[in-house]
């Protein structure tokens, strides 16, 4: 949530920035509600001060109020209630607007409508020049009996997967490897619930805007999480953290659940875009002054996983139109997929500034003052897509798949999937 004072005091500038993110701010409506709230609060405070003066006067004079005074104070109390009700309604309407407004973006990011305007920051690793016909991960998985979307479809429905044998072991190995690596790098491991309440989803910006993308548990106010970002960030909702405790670095594995409305074509084939998948998530809670450095650090931590898995990838800075609703600045890590002859997103590393902390009311204490923290998160990494990248980039001419060296201790020192 953006600071309403920031919007009001920079209305034209904020409106212009939001338009470059594809959002049209109704400036007049916002201005009217903001000023109405301000005036109503002022009126309520004036009336309460009048009541306070009267109470002090009676107390000082050590007497009971006259009937005339009682009638007068009763009218005053009724007036306070009336204006207080108006204030609550205005604040509710203003909050509804604020919850719908996306975050602004860093001046460093490129201006653009979609991914075509994204900026490539660096390209890492060598793309293998295969001397045999490249197979995609679906064909490799089927040949090696690693997973089955057909069996999963029988059990549940389309766009689910069932790992079997070495496929299940490889998925688990990736989870354990990533958790161990990030833990050694200073992140505290958390195992969160996979179900959260509405307030938690509002806190991270998933609700109310993206309700269609979520799986709601019927008859409840609970939703399945689309990422561990939701429970990890909301660990601190309503809290005031001492500055000396920042930054806070958390890592968690979770299953993730997404409706993936609107995806189609090749994206629904295999493991690329499913309703349920596994992910290791990184979350940082930072001071405002430190969040830029922490963003670079978090991104580098995710990159290290790709480096150790010997996977070619690139880091991309998203343009204004491709930056998500809640994000202030985002780097995408895109891994090379030989079967598609292109790069595919495997992690988004974002700095949200105080956008989420205002929604979730996460603050910190510094120099006897209270302010809002900055929140950051990123995939470290999406497990299914990492498995896809390993199968495709490390496939061999004889149909086997070479296991990256760092994963072998997690797989009884197995060198190849055969």
């Amino acid at each position: 949530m953006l600071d309403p004072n920031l919007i009001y005091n920079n209305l034209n500038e904020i409106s212009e920035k939001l338009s470059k993110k594809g959002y049209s701010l109704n400036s007049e409506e916002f201005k009217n509600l903001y000023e109405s709230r301000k005036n109503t609060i002022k009126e309520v405070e004036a009336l309460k001060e009048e009541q306070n003066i009267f109470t002090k006067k009676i107390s000082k004079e050590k007497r009971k109020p006259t009937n005339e005074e009682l009638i007068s104070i009763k009218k005053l109390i009724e007036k306070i209630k009336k204006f207080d009700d108006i204030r609550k309604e205005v604040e509710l309407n203003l909050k509804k607007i604020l919850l719908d407004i996306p975050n602004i973006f860093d001046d460093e990011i490129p201006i653009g409508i979609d991914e075509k305007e994204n900026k490539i920051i660096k390209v890492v690793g060598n793309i293998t020049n295969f001397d045999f016909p490249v197979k995609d991960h679906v064909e490799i998985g089927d040949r090696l009996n690693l997973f089955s979307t057909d069996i999963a479809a029988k059990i549940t429905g389309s766009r689910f997967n069932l790992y079997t044998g070495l496929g299940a072991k490889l998925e688990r190995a990736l989870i354990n490897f990533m958790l161990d690596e990030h833990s050694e790098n200073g992140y505290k491991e958390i195992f969160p619930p996979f179900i959260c309440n509405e307030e938690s989803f509002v806190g991270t910006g998933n609700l109310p805007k993206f309700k269609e993308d979520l799986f709601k548990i019927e008859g409840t106010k609970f939703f399945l999480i689309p990422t561990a970002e939701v429970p990890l960030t909301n660990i601190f909702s309503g809290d005031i953290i001492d500055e000396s405790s920042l930054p806070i670095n958390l890592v968690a594995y979770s299953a993730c659940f997404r409706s993936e409305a609107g995806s189609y074509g090749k994206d629904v084939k295999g493991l690329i875009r499913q309703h349920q998948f596994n992910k290791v998530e990184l979350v940082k809670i930072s001071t405002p002054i430190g969040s830029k450095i922490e963003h670079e650090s978090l991104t580098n931590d995710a990159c290290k996983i790709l480096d150790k898995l010997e996977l070619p990838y690139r880091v991309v800075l998203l343009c204004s139109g491709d930056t998500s609703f809640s994000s202030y600045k985002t780097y995408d890590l895109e891994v090379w997929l030989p079967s598609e002859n292109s790069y595919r997103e495997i992690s988004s590393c974002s700095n949200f500034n105080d956008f989420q902390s205002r929604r979730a009311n996460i603050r910190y204490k510094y120099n006897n003052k209270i302010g809002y923290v900055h929140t950051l998160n990123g995939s470290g990494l999406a497990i299914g897509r990492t498995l896809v990248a390993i199968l495709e980039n490390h496939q061999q001419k004889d149909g086997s798949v070479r296991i990256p060296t760092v994963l072998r201790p997690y797989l009884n020192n197995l060198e190849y999937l055969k």
Side-chain angles (χ1 to χ4, degrees):
M1 181 189 295
L2 291 177
D3 179 357
N5 298 319
L6 175 70
I7 300 174
Y8 182 78
N9 293 326
N10 305 274
L11 200 52
N12 292 334
E13 181 185 346
I14 298 295
S15 182
E16 177 68 18
K17 267 202 165 183
L18 290 173
S19 70
K20 289 180 171 62
K21 212 170 179 181
Y23 181 84
S24 179
L25 176 66
N26 189 331
S27 301
E28 197 63 32
E29 181 184 21
F30 175 84
K31 184 180 178 181
N32 289 340
L33 278 171
Y34 181 93
E35 291 179 347
S36 177
R37 185 191 71 158
K38 184 178 179 180
N39 293 334
T40 308
I41 289 173
K42 189 176 179 180
E43 185 69 32
V44 169
E45 287 177 348
L47 291 170
K48 285 183 177 179
E49 179 60 23
E50 186 179 337
Q51 181 186 17
N52 192 40
I53 290 170
F54 173 80
T55 303
K56 284 182 178 179
K57 178 188 174 185
I58 295 298
S59 178
K60 188 177 180 180
E61 294 175 358
K62 296 180 181 179
R63 65 177 179 85
K64 291 182 178 180
T66 64
N67 287 337
E68 196 174 275
E69 286 173 330
L70 285 172
I71 291 170
S72 177
I73 199 65
K74 185 180 178 182
K75 287 181 180 179
L76 182 61
I77 291 170
E78 288 173 353
K79 199 173 183 181
I80 290 171
K81 186 181 181 306
K82 177 186 174 183
F83 276 95
D84 216 25
D85 288 342
I86 293 171
R87 176 192 60 80
K88 288 176 183 177
E89 185 177 353
V90 170
E91 285 186 339
L92 183 62
N93 291 332
L94 182 62
K95 186 176 181 180
K96 284 179 181 178
I97 290 177
L98 288 169
L99 288 176
D100 189 57
I101 298 174
N103 201 353
I104 54 174
F105 52 84
D106 193 325
D107 290 333
E108 294 179 2
I109 79 171
I111 304 300
I113 298 172
D114 54 32
E115 67 275 2
K116 294 175 184 176
E117 304 297 329
N118 293 343
K119 180 181 178 182
I120 298 172
I121 302 300
K122 64 177 179 178
V123 179
V124 182
N126 297 315
I127 293 172
T128 302
N129 185 19
F130 293 99
D131 61 356
F132 58 88
V134 170
K135 299 179 179 65
D136 67 18
H137 73 278
V138 176
E139 187 176 352
I140 296 170
D142 185 58
R143 182 185 179 91
L144 299 179
N145 195 27
L146 302 177
F147 56 83
S148 174
T149 55
D150 290 338
I151 294 175
K154 180 177 72 171
I155 299 168
T156 308
S158 63
R159 314 245 312 263
F160 287 89
N161 179 54
L162 181 139
Y163 289 103
T164 61
L166 285 175
K169 292 182 185 296
L170 179 57
E171 181 88 352
R172 177 159 54 89
L174 283 166
I175 293 169
N176 289 335
F177 161 68
M178 292 180 195
L179 287 173
D180 287 346
E181 286 293 314
H182 293 307
S183 295
E184 288 176 15
N185 203 25
Y187 290 81
K188 180 180 180 180
E189 185 175 341
I190 304 290
F191 190 63
F194 297 171
I195 296 172
C196 288
N197 55 35
E198 285 185 4
E199 290 79 9
S200 294
F201 281 86
V202 171
T204 48
N206 301 86
L207 287 176
K209 192 172 182 63
F210 300 104
K211 192 172 184 178
E212 288 184 3
D213 297 332
L214 304 173
F215 283 110
K216 185 176 184 180
I217 300 175
E218 188 175 357
T220 75
K221 291 186 177 182
F222 299 135
F223 294 81
L224 300 178
I225 61 171
T227 165
E229 167 198 353
V230 180
L232 291 184
T233 304
N234 281 282
I235 287 172
F236 307 98
S237 62
D239 290 354
I240 299 176
I241 306 165
D242 193 270
E243 184 181 22
S244 62
S245 299
L246 299 174
I248 294 169
N249 304 318
L250 304 177
V251 61
Y253 152 76
S254 79
C256 303
F257 305 87
R258 300 182 185 180
S259 69
E260 295 292 1
S263 57
Y264 56 91
K266 65 182 180 182
D267 276 0
V268 301
K269 179 186 177 185
L271 308 182
I272 293 295
R273 196 175 295 277
Q274 298 201 310
H275 292 310
Q276 177 185 327
F277 59 95
N278 295 313
K279 187 150 70 78
V280 168
E281 187 78 358
L282 306 175
V283 164
K284 285 177 175 278
I285 309 294
S286 167
T287 60
I289 198 169
S291 69
K292 187 172 182 178
I293 293 173
E294 294 302 330
H295 188 203
E296 299 298 324
S297 173
L298 184 147
T299 305
N300 288 334
D301 290 337
C303 287
K304 288 174 187 175
I305 300 297
L306 290 166
D307 292 332
K308 292 193 174 188
L309 292 173
E310 306 163 55
L311 295 171
Y313 66 95
R314 67 185 185 184
V315 180
V316 178
L317 176 60
L318 301 193
C319 72
S320 57
D322 203 28
T323 303
S324 71
F325 175 82
S326 298
S327 178
Y328 179 73
K329 182 180 180 180
T330 296
Y331 292 113
D332 267 7
L333 309 188
E334 299 178 345
V335 70
W336 177 257
L337 293 187
S339 70
E340 297 183 9
N341 197 36
S342 63
Y343 290 94
R344 171 70 75 156
E345 178 201 332
I346 197 166
S347 172
S348 282
C349 300
S350 300
N351 184 357
F352 301 97
N353 277 13
D354 61 0
F355 188 81
Q356 291 182 329
S357 62
R358 286 181 178 276
R359 297 169 76 106
N361 195 27
I362 307 171
R363 295 168 291 168
Y364 77 113
K365 186 177 182 180
Y366 66 104
N367 298 330
N368 294 318
K369 297 178 182 178
I370 302 294
Y372 287 99
V373 300
H374 281 193
T375 62
L376 309 93
N377 70 52
S379 304
L381 305 160
I383 306 299
R385 292 192 180 192
T386 305
L387 187 145
V388 167
I390 288 172
L391 295 183
E392 294 200 5
N393 283 282
H394 296 318
Q395 61 181 295
Q396 307 294 304
K397 194 170 186 176
D398 64 1
S400 65
V401 176
R402 183 178 66 83
I403 297 171
T405 305
V406 291
L407 284 182
R408 293 174 188 175
Y410 296 89
L411 292 162
N412 294 321
N413 294 313
L414 190 68
E415 295 183 20
Y416 290 90
L417 297 175
K418 296 182 178 180

